[in-house]
Amino acid sequence: MADNRRWWALVVIALAQLMVVLDMTIVNIALPSAQADLNMSDGNRQWVITAYTLAFGGLLLLGGRIADLAGRKTTFMIGLVGFAAASALGGAATGQGMLFGARALQGVFAALLAPAALSLLATTFTDPKDRAKAFGVFGAIVGAGAAIGLLAGGLLTEYLDWRWCLYVNVPIALVAFAGAWAILAPGGRHPDAHLDVPGALLGSGGMLSLVYGFSEAASRGWDDGLVVTLLVAGVVLLAAFAVWQTRARVPLLPMSVVKDRQRVGAFLTVLFVTVGMFGVFLFLTYYLQGVLGWSPLKTGLAYLPMTAAMIVGSTQIAARLLSRVPPRTLIVPGLLVAAGGLAIIAQVGVEPAYTSHVLPGMLMLGLGMSTAMMTSISLATGSVAPRDSGAASATFNTAQQVGGSIGTALLNTIAASATATYLTAHAGPGVDKRLLQAEATVHGFNVATWWAFGALLLAALIAGVVVNAERAPTPQGAGERAPEPVDTLG
């Protein structure tokens, strides 16, 4: 592909990825308005979020393999059209069932779109320097998309209507579709195309069960019968999936993808990073709006410095150094800086502390996390055979989804437990109940943030021990029949 066309292709791919990542948070700020408009109960409102993440996380492996078998460009464009249609359906929802269904459909098409986008990027940019720049942009979008979603959600909800948090995807998707049609090179279909049906059922069923179990744990508790059943079923199905993949003629997830030491390190690092990050975004939003009383728009604007720090970390630090230094010398320091930011945020109180604690913590978090994430993305998709790039991309996205589900459920449970304990210990006659509730809530957030701090330290430890490449790997080339990568896990 000509040089200029490659960079325009990056714009198209990045636009689609921004839409997918942004949609994971943009609806959060609009949720109270949607709940009131559609008369949702407190128990049912979570399905606006869960329906999307459940379908997205559960079907990623299948979506990644479809991209490899049917062609990445074709899958990418189908994902864009489907995502736009599902978004329009959700924006026009006349009842909660229609909205939940539309969000699930968004997740289905996002599971096609996300792996196709990442594999297109990995196979389009093979030159180390250009690849570093492209992945720097992509990493900034992955990291900053959640914060941009909060800002966009605040703007659209405050000045238009909650429905525009869904409608906004339609023009974005149509622009990306037109760009893909005109610019992206056609992706070849694998000559031995074959969909591993038993693998698809086992893998998707296991992921659906696992993601659903973690999402329900946040509200039901870890010892709830349904939660335990879902988590056990998910582990059993995924174990059966792993066994089957060693026997399948054309496996849904080729073992070469998960045997490479560098990719395993990247997958595990991303898993624990997102365990720590998703819950913290939620806590900060509740802290700024619920405790400090900020508006949705002001809350969204508060995330802008972190977004800027993420862009700097990805494009000015990681992208410039990725081809020059060992990957773990970027990942480990980046995660330690991000963990330091969480340590600062974990010390906030009920008094306004944005300038003294939240802002410096956000800057460190954005800078460190984006540096580590961008490097991990390059590791996860490098040196993989082009015909399996969709599967590798899907596995990376799955690590993000599972980590986010675990993090949200686990950290919410920890925060709720710490809040309840604090209330019990400090309740008594003459105590200001409103102040006590605020103090207990912030205490719960702080305890959970320290756990997130631990998750980032664990991610840094894993990266330091497992990732040992001298340089980030690069793709084997554009040919669809590239040889399998060497097993370096041993």
Side-chain angles (χ1 to χ4, degrees):
M1 186 183 291
D3 191 64
N4 286 339
R5 286 177 66 85
R6 282 192 299 122
W7 292 110
W8 278 110
L10 173 61
V11 173
V12 172
I13 296 166
L15 190 63
Q17 183 65 21
L18 175 63
M19 181 179 67
V20 172
V21 176
L22 180 148
D23 214 69
M24 294 169 66
T25 56
I26 192 172
V27 176
N28 286 14
I29 287 182
L31 187 53
S33 300
Q35 180 182 359
D37 196 15
L38 300 180
N39 297 314
M40 284 182 245
S41 68
D42 288 345
N44 283 342
R45 67 182 177 188
Q46 62 155 329
W47 282 101
V48 176
I49 308 299
T50 304
Y52 179 77
T53 57
L54 186 59
F56 188 16
L59 298 175
L60 269 167
L61 286 175
L62 180 59
R65 204 50 174 159
I66 289 172
D68 288 330
L69 301 181
R72 289 176 285 274
K73 178 178 178 179
T74 300
T75 306
F76 183 75
M77 293 174 69
I78 291 172
L80 285 169
V81 172
F83 199 91
S87 299
L89 182 66
T94 55
Q96 59 181 12
M98 186 174 172
L99 179 59
F100 299 158
R103 289 287 287 166
L105 274 177
Q106 279 186 305
V108 170
F109 287 106
L112 288 176
L113 188 56
L118 186 51
S119 57
L120 278 168
L121 185 72
T123 53
T124 298
F125 292 90
T126 55
D127 177 75
K129 289 186 178 180
D130 287 348
R131 180 179 172 84
K133 292 176 184 177
F135 273 80
V137 174
F138 194 85
I141 287 170
V142 171
I148 295 172
L150 292 169
L151 173 59
L155 282 167
L156 293 171
T157 303
E158 195 153 321
Y159 292 110
L160 291 174
D161 184 81
W162 68 267
R163 296 177 185 276
W164 279 96
C165 291
L166 293 164
Y167 285 143
V168 71
N169 293 321
V170 177
I172 295 175
L174 293 179
V175 169
F177 181 87
W181 180 279
I183 296 170
L184 295 182
R189 188 172 180 267
H190 194 282
D192 299 321
H194 172 77
L195 185 60
D196 174 20
V197 176
L201 293 174
L202 290 170
S204 298
M207 287 306 306
L208 284 166
S209 184
L210 207 59
V211 173
Y212 186 26
F214 282 123
S215 65
E216 286 294 294
S219 57
R220 292 174 176 267
W222 294 96
D223 57 351
D224 179 79
L226 176 62
V227 172
V228 173
T229 300
L230 287 168
L231 294 180
V232 171
V235 171
V236 170
L237 287 170
L238 289 177
F241 169 76
V243 173
W244 173 254
Q245 294 307 283
T246 63
R247 303 177 180 179
R249 181 167 66 88
V250 182
L252 190 69
L253 178 61
M255 288 297 101
S256 59
V257 170
V258 291
K259 282 185 178 179
D260 182 85
R261 178 174 183 151
Q262 313 311 321
R263 279 196 293 276
V264 169
F267 294 151
L268 291 175
T269 298
V270 167
L271 176 70
F272 285 102
V273 167
T274 50
V275 164
M277 293 313 308
F278 271 58
V280 170
F281 278 140
L282 189 63
F283 297 150
L284 278 174
T285 300
Y286 275 116
Y287 171 75
L288 295 174
Q289 290 193 56
V291 177
L292 301 187
W294 289 15
S295 69
L297 176 58
K298 189 175 180 181
T299 300
L301 290 171
Y303 281 97
L304 281 181
M306 183 168 69
T307 303
M310 287 176 172
I311 294 171
V312 170
S314 289
T315 63
Q316 301 304 311
I317 298 177
R320 291 178 180 272
L321 297 178
L322 186 61
S323 61
R324 302 179 184 178
V325 301
R328 65 180 168 190
T329 63
L330 291 171
I331 297 175
V332 175
L335 292 179
L336 293 178
V337 170
L342 289 185
I344 295 173
I345 293 172
Q347 299 177 57
V348 299
V350 294
E351 302 81 12
Y354 180 77
T355 304
S356 60
H357 289 77
V358 177
L359 179 58
M362 278 184 169
L363 291 172
M364 292 175 65
L365 193 59
L367 196 66
M369 187 181 68
S370 60
T371 301
M373 285 290 285
M374 180 265 175
T375 309
S376 297
I377 292 172
S378 186
L379 278 178
T381 57
S383 76
V384 67
R387 66 172 175 267
D388 292 329
S389 63
S393 303
T395 307
F396 178 85
N397 279 285
T398 299
Q400 282 187 297
Q401 285 298 307
V402 172
S405 297
I406 295 172
T408 301
L410 178 62
L411 296 182
N412 268 337
T413 303
I414 291 170
S417 177
T419 298
T421 301
Y422 189 95
L423 285 171
T424 302
H426 293 82
V431 175
D432 185 331
K433 292 184 178 180
R434 180 176 293 183
L435 178 61
L436 176 62
Q437 182 63 52
E439 290 174 342
T441 300
V442 171
H443 172 73
F445 291 169
N446 289 345
V447 171
T449 302
W450 281 116
W451 279 84
F453 168 85
L456 261 61
L457 291 185
L458 181 57
L461 177 63
I462 290 171
V465 172
V466 179
V467 177
N468 63 356
E470 287 300 313
R471 295 290 183 272
T474 54
Q476 296 176 14
E480 289 292 326
R481 301 184 70 98
E484 297 291 340
V486 176
D487 178 357
T488 58
L489 188 58

